[in-house]
Amino acid sequence: MSSIDQVMDEHSSYLVRIAYLYVKNWSTAEDIVQEVFVTYFQKSDQFRNEASLKTYLTKITANRAKDYLRSWKHKKDVLFDTIFASEKGVDEVVLEQERLASLEKNLFKLPLKYREPLILFYYDEQPIAEIASYLDLNENTVKTRLRRARQQLKEFFDEEEVESN
């Protein structure tokens, strides 16, 4: 197996999940990861081994996902989804929302500034110091955002519980 195949086999599913946590769409996440691998293999000589390859690819993936969220294509897709979602009946919208996993749904309710540290801390298992460095924030700011994110998630779950009773 070539090194290209090996790197892709080792990291692709993880990177797709990371990209999905940003963009909330599996096919877009897969496209982003494809771009990440193309970029990495075109510029692999620039990788300086200061961090692990997984960390390096994760950072590229997160940056590409953020770029996508700022792009015109994403804004256009959101606009069309909003227009077509408003044409659906109330029953369809409710059924569609009920199919979503509760945690995923609530996670995406959080603003990106809260969701990102939460993902990096719990999913990527990065220490607060690394998260602070990666996001270019003070460690106390990261701790505050994690606390607020957890509190907001708790409130979302409490609201769901009250609504279901």
Side-chain angles (χ1 to χ4, degrees):
M1 184 182 327
S2 70
S3 66
I4 293 173
D5 293 332
Q6 183 179 358
V7 169
M8 289 176 70
D9 285 345
E10 285 180 26
H11 302 289
S12 62
S13 63
Y14 171 77
L15 295 175
V16 169
R17 289 191 308 263
I18 291 292
Y20 176 77
L21 291 170
Y22 282 94
V23 299
K24 307 174 197 170
N25 182 302
W26 286 111
S27 62
T28 303
E30 290 169 348
D31 292 344
I32 288 170
V33 171
Q34 284 180 345
E35 291 176 24
V36 167
F37 283 129
V38 168
T39 301
Y40 170 71
F41 290 116
Q42 287 174 343
K43 300 178 181 182
S44 60
D45 56 320
Q46 293 178 2
F47 177 58
R48 297 184 305 250
N49 288 321
E50 292 175 2
S52 71
L53 180 58
K54 181 177 180 179
T55 303
Y56 179 72
L57 292 173
T58 301
K59 188 160 187 158
I60 293 174
T61 302
N63 288 336
R64 283 290 165 98
K66 289 178 192 176
D67 290 344
Y68 172 78
L69 292 173
R70 288 189 293 263
S71 72
W72 166 247
K73 181 182 181 338
H74 171 66
K75 291 175 183 167
K76 178 183 61 124
D77 290 346
V78 168
L79 176 64
F80 282 118
D81 288 347
T82 304
I83 290 169
F84 291 118
S86 65
E87 293 176 3
K88 291 181 182 176
V90 174
D91 295 337
E92 291 177 66
V93 172
V94 170
L95 287 174
E96 188 174 313
Q97 288 177 345
E98 287 177 354
R99 290 184 197 124
L100 293 174
S102 185
L103 177 60
E104 180 180 85
K105 181 179 74 177
N106 290 325
L107 182 64
F108 289 132
K109 285 182 184 178
L110 294 173
L112 184 60
K113 75 178 191 175
Y114 295 136
R115 186 177 352 133
E116 192 170 35
L118 205 64
I119 292 166
L120 293 172
F121 186 76
Y122 287 106
Y123 184 76
D124 202 26
E125 299 177 353
Q126 290 187 14
I128 289 176
E130 279 186 36
I131 296 169
S133 173
Y134 173 72
L135 297 176
D136 198 25
L137 297 170
N138 183 304
E139 286 185 35
N140 288 331
T141 304
V142 172
K143 290 176 187 176
T144 300
R145 288 185 181 181
L146 282 169
R147 188 180 70 249
R148 289 180 181 165
R150 287 189 292 260
Q151 181 61 37
Q152 284 186 17
L153 280 175
K154 182 181 182 306
E155 289 171 7
F156 291 149
F157 285 116
D158 290 346
E159 287 173 14
E160 281 183 356
E161 191 173 308
V162 168
E163 290 173 5
S164 67
N165 290 332

